[in-house]
Amino acid sequence: MAASKPVEPQSGTGLPRWQLALLVGAPIALGLGAVYLWSRCRANEKRGKGEGERKAPEGSASPVQAASSHLDRPTAFLTPLDRAQSAKSKGNKYFKAGKYDNAIQCYTEAINLCPKDQKSDLSTFYQNRAAAYEQQMRWAEVVQDCSQAVELNPRYVKALFRRAKALEKLDSRKECLEDVTAVCILEAFQNQQSMLLADRVLKQLGKEKAKEKYKNREPLMPSPQFIKSYFSSFTDDIISQPLQKGEKKDEDKDKEGEAAEVTESSSYLKAKQYMEEENYDKIISECTKEVESQGRYTAEALLLRATFYLLIGNATAAQPDLDRVINMQDANVKLQANALIKRGSMYMQQQQPHLSTQDFNSAAEIDSHNADVYHHRGQLKILLDQVEEAVGDFDACIKLRPDSALAQAQKCFALYRQAYTGNNPAQVQTAMNGFEDVIKRFPKCAEGYALYAQALTDQQQFGKADEMYDKCIELEPDNATTYVHKGLLQLQWKQDLDLGLELISKAIEIDNKCDFAYETMGTIEVQRGNLDKAIDMFNKAINLAKSEMEMAHLYSLCDAAYAQTEVARKYGLKPPTL
């Protein structure tokens, strides 16, 4: 869509985040940064494995029976530990009957009777009392007792998890994340309940941090390559077209002996000249001059200024300009349709799909012959998993512009996604044949090769996928994301970590503003156990994030890596590494 790169805006052009997680995460290692991400896509699958609620206290399945084994012996011969176990068993009976105050009294008696050197038993008694407090929603007491249990037994999964849940209730998310991280590592990431808590807390932390950071961030102009890629996704965008023959700057008119008429359009035309020169930092100020002077190109200046506000991640400033263009009575319809597309894309980035859909539909109503409307709405439909409707939009775009290679390639990718997720081998092959047709008809369309490479990777045709990425690089040697994808391919195909990292480093060398490269590098470093370097990479990506939603996701990865460093420091726990 307009506010991002084609097909999968969450991760730049190409590899979707869910695919990145599967590629770099689950099959290779168990790094939290990737596995937490992987869990978001698995949360709705079967949850039977190791996912039972940890509600019951520890002890015999039949507390009455367990107690009788001690009571059969004369009281005088019971050791302090026996008496403590008997009190615990009575507590378990009360717990199962829902008499939590009585259960707490019994567990307290067990704690007081238990010899201090019996650390395993004592930790169990504290954990059981915490379970009773949990039923009464006495979260502070839960944390206190679980802390006692963990101090006695640092790898006590039940106590760590129960404390994590209580900490979440107390809004102590950072501490909660550390506990649930330890649980995930101890359980080898096999318990969905723990994974879902980790995912939930990471999302909450990410949103909170991103909201504050994004509000106060310094605007940052993306790389020239990104800006050119963005504008190349439009064909009916008046503001991105080169200066026409009759559109000359005033100083040029003077040189040619034309009427030295200083028109009110000069600032807008100067902004367009700066676009051609890739002098992007000066465009917003020139557009502002045009708007303030109420020149003849006011609508165009508003739209161009809004577009660059979106590119630097300032949606708050962009929206009023887009609103003005959309509501202008005498504005060019194509300008209004373009403004609706960009506002709709902005809404999608803000996770407001209903408003986004409304804007795209309005754009189609006012300019039904605008190919851009259908192209970008098709990408929206893919994000909303409305693949059939997406294909219909791509077809409408192709009908209006048969030479639109990008729409042809994205239609193939939509059909492939539908067939692949639907487990339909015949349709998968039809989509693959479609890719072959696209790259034959449009041999200079880099996006066609890139999307085909993703499909080939899914089908484990790694050699051919590598060839497709090489074609992309040949056509667009300055496209950093292609190097990232090719690097990821080396990891999955050959397990060649050195070559993979070399290619991703090359991407950063080409474009030091490529947030996708830093994010991917960070994810890999998590799995290598280089947590400090991973955190550094994620922080660099955070500073380059183009939307609050993207920034929140990056913060969640960074927080996951940081939690691992704390768990390693406190408990000596580390997940397996590459």
Side-chain angles (χ1 to χ4, degrees):
M1 293 186 309
S4 190
K5 293 188 178 183
V7 177
E8 291 285 349
Q10 292 97 326
S11 61
T13 43
L15 203 65
R17 288 237 159 94
W18 59 268
Q19 197 170 339
L20 171 62
L22 292 175
L23 181 62
V24 185
I28 298 178
L30 292 171
L32 273 176
V35 179
Y36 280 167
L37 182 58
W38 169 75
S39 74
R40 298 179 185 181
C41 303
R42 305 282 293 178
N44 294 322
E45 294 186 9
K46 291 182 180 179
R47 298 182 181 178
K49 187 175 181 180
E51 197 194 350
E53 280 282 349
R54 301 181 179 90
K55 287 183 179 177
E58 291 190 27
S60 170
S62 177
V64 179
Q65 260 187 358
S68 68
S69 65
H70 299 299
L71 296 174
D72 287 342
R73 298 163 59 187
T75 306
F77 294 102
L78 289 177
T79 67
L81 181 58
D82 288 337
R83 291 158 64 197
Q85 291 286 4
S86 178
K88 181 202 76 170
S89 296
K90 285 172 61 180
N92 288 354
K93 182 178 179 181
Y94 283 126
F95 185 99
K96 292 189 176 184
K99 297 180 179 180
Y100 301 117
D101 284 331
N102 299 92
I104 289 167
Q105 287 179 357
C106 291
Y107 295 141
T108 301
E109 183 182 352
I111 290 167
N112 292 332
L113 288 168
C114 185
K116 302 308 177 188
D117 61 342
Q118 299 296 320
K119 292 185 177 182
S120 177
D121 294 289
L122 191 54
S123 66
T124 299
F125 303 154
Y126 275 114
Q127 197 283 140
N128 282 11
R129 190 169 70 176
Y133 283 137
E134 182 181 47
Q135 294 301 310
Q136 296 180 328
M137 295 186 287
R138 294 165 63 178
W139 308 119
E141 286 90 342
V142 174
V143 170
Q144 186 175 356
D145 272 7
C146 286
S147 296
Q148 291 283 356
V150 171
E151 187 176 338
L152 293 161
N153 181 2
R155 300 194 176 194
Y156 195 169
V157 170
K158 277 192 175 182
L160 284 165
F161 187 70
R162 180 158 279 121
R163 186 171 68 178
K165 292 187 291 181
L167 286 166
E168 183 189 23
K169 296 292 186 181
L170 294 170
D171 289 329
S172 299
R173 295 191 183 93
K174 178 177 174 292
E175 294 80 5
C176 169
L177 179 60
E178 290 173 12
D179 277 354
V180 78
T181 296
V183 171
C184 286
I185 294 172
L186 287 167
E187 295 180 327
F189 303 92
Q190 294 301 305
N191 192 297
Q192 275 287 340
Q193 199 183 357
S194 308
M195 295 284 286
L196 290 173
L197 174 58
D199 182 63
R200 183 168 65 248
V201 174
L202 282 168
K203 284 179 178 177
Q204 291 168 343
L205 282 170
K207 285 180 180 178
E208 289 172 4
K209 292 183 177 181
K211 185 175 183 179
E212 186 63 27
K213 171 83 171 179
Y214 201 77
K215 182 172 60 177
N216 300 310
R217 72 194 285 269
E218 287 292 325
L220 181 68
M221 190 67 68
S223 65
Q225 195 279 331
F226 180 91
I227 293 172
K228 286 185 283 187
S229 174
Y230 174 90
F231 281 112
S232 72
S233 66
F234 295 93
T235 55
D236 281 330
D237 184 0
I238 295 172
I239 62 169
S240 64
Q241 302 304 316
L243 283 166
Q244 300 301 310
K245 186 175 180 181
E247 290 183 318
K248 292 178 179 158
K249 295 185 296 181
D250 295 327
E251 53 266 37
D252 292 337
K253 291 182 179 181
D254 290 339
K255 291 174 186 176
E256 295 177 15
E258 298 180 12
E261 178 186 358
V262 180
T263 70
E264 59 186 358
S265 64
S266 58
S267 294
Y268 171 69
L269 295 181
K270 191 177 290 186
K272 287 190 71 174
Q273 185 68 32
Y274 284 140
M275 274 193 70
E276 292 187 10
E277 296 168 358
E278 298 182 16
N279 195 353
Y280 301 120
D281 289 320
K282 295 184 177 181
I283 289 173
I284 289 176
S285 60
E286 290 301 326
C287 288
T288 299
K289 292 177 187 176
E290 179 73 20
V291 172
E292 290 176 348
S293 67
Q294 298 183 0
R296 60 180 287 200
Y297 291 108
T298 296
E300 288 87 346
L302 283 166
L303 182 55
L304 184 57
R305 185 171 70 175
T307 302
F308 273 87
Y309 277 141
L310 289 173
L311 284 167
I312 65 174
N314 192 350
T316 303
Q319 183 160 350
D321 285 355
L322 294 170
D323 292 345
R324 282 183 64 182
V325 175
I326 290 164
N327 295 319
M328 277 184 174
Q329 297 298 319
D330 55 349
N332 185 311
V333 168
K334 290 206 175 295
L335 289 176
Q336 291 179 312
N338 188 268
L340 282 163
I341 292 170
K342 289 171 180 172
R343 192 175 70 176
S345 299
M346 179 193 73
Y347 283 142
M348 192 61 196
Q349 282 196 333
Q350 294 172 346
Q351 296 181 292
Q352 301 184 73
H354 179 67
L355 291 177
S356 179
T357 301
Q358 280 185 342
D359 273 0
F360 279 105
N361 292 345
S362 296
E365 288 175 10
I366 66 171
D367 193 7
S368 59
H369 296 289
N370 188 328
D372 289 342
V373 175
Y374 304 104
H375 176 197
H376 291 276
R377 190 170 67 178
Q379 294 181 63
L380 168 71
K381 297 300 184 183
I382 288 179
L383 291 174
L384 296 175
D385 286 328
Q386 299 170 4
V387 181
E388 288 187 17
E389 293 181 32
V391 171
D393 276 335
F394 289 135
D395 280 334
C397 175
I398 293 164
K399 185 176 180 180
L400 290 166
R401 286 192 177 272
D403 60 343
S404 177
L406 193 56
Q408 302 267 9
Q410 290 179 346
K411 176 189 172 182
C412 284
F413 190 72
L415 289 170
Y416 170 76
R417 281 275 297 273
Q418 184 180 44
Y420 182 72
T421 56
N423 196 26
N424 189 321
Q427 289 184 8
V428 165
Q429 189 55 52
T430 299
M432 301 299 273
N433 293 340
F435 278 121
E436 288 285 352
D437 182 60
V438 167
I439 62 175
K440 284 178 184 176
R441 291 167 55 204
F442 304 101
K444 294 186 177 180
C445 176
E447 188 74 10
Y449 294 104
L451 294 174
Y452 190 22
Q454 289 182 45
L456 288 165
T457 301
D458 279 341
Q459 298 302 308
Q460 298 190 345
Q461 298 181 40
F462 301 128
K464 193 167 184 179
D466 198 42
E467 291 174 12
M468 295 299 105
Y469 284 132
D470 285 339
K471 288 293 295 182
C472 290
I473 292 170
E474 181 184 324
L475 291 166
E476 293 183 352
D478 294 332
N479 190 330
T481 56
T482 305
Y483 287 91
V484 179
H485 297 325
K486 185 175 170 68
L488 288 169
L489 176 64
Q490 308 313 308
L491 291 175
Q492 187 176 15
W493 178 21
K494 300 177 179 178
Q495 290 76 52
D496 192 334
L497 186 62
D498 291 336
L499 179 55
L501 290 173
E502 180 184 330
L503 286 163
I504 297 168
S505 297
K506 176 70 174 175
I508 294 171
E509 181 185 326
I510 290 170
D511 180 3
N512 64 4
K513 295 180 179 179
C514 181
D515 54 328
F516 181 42
Y518 290 115
E519 176 189 348
T520 306
M521 183 79 82
T523 303
I524 294 171
E525 293 296 352
V526 164
Q527 295 174 76
R528 296 178 75 197
N530 298 330
L531 297 174
D532 289 338
K533 187 170 183 180
I535 290 168
D536 181 54
M537 291 293 106
F538 290 139
N539 280 324
K540 287 180 178 178
I542 286 166
N543 291 329
L544 295 167
K546 298 174 183 67
S547 71
E548 187 176 324
M549 182 173 69
E550 182 179 348
M551 187 178 284
H553 162 76
L554 291 165
Y555 265 121
S556 72
L557 295 181
C558 190
D559 287 340
Y562 180 76
Q564 284 191 67
T565 66
E566 290 299 292
V567 168
R569 181 180 64 81
K570 289 181 180 179
Y571 307 115
L573 291 173
K574 293 182 181 180
T577 58
L578 289 174

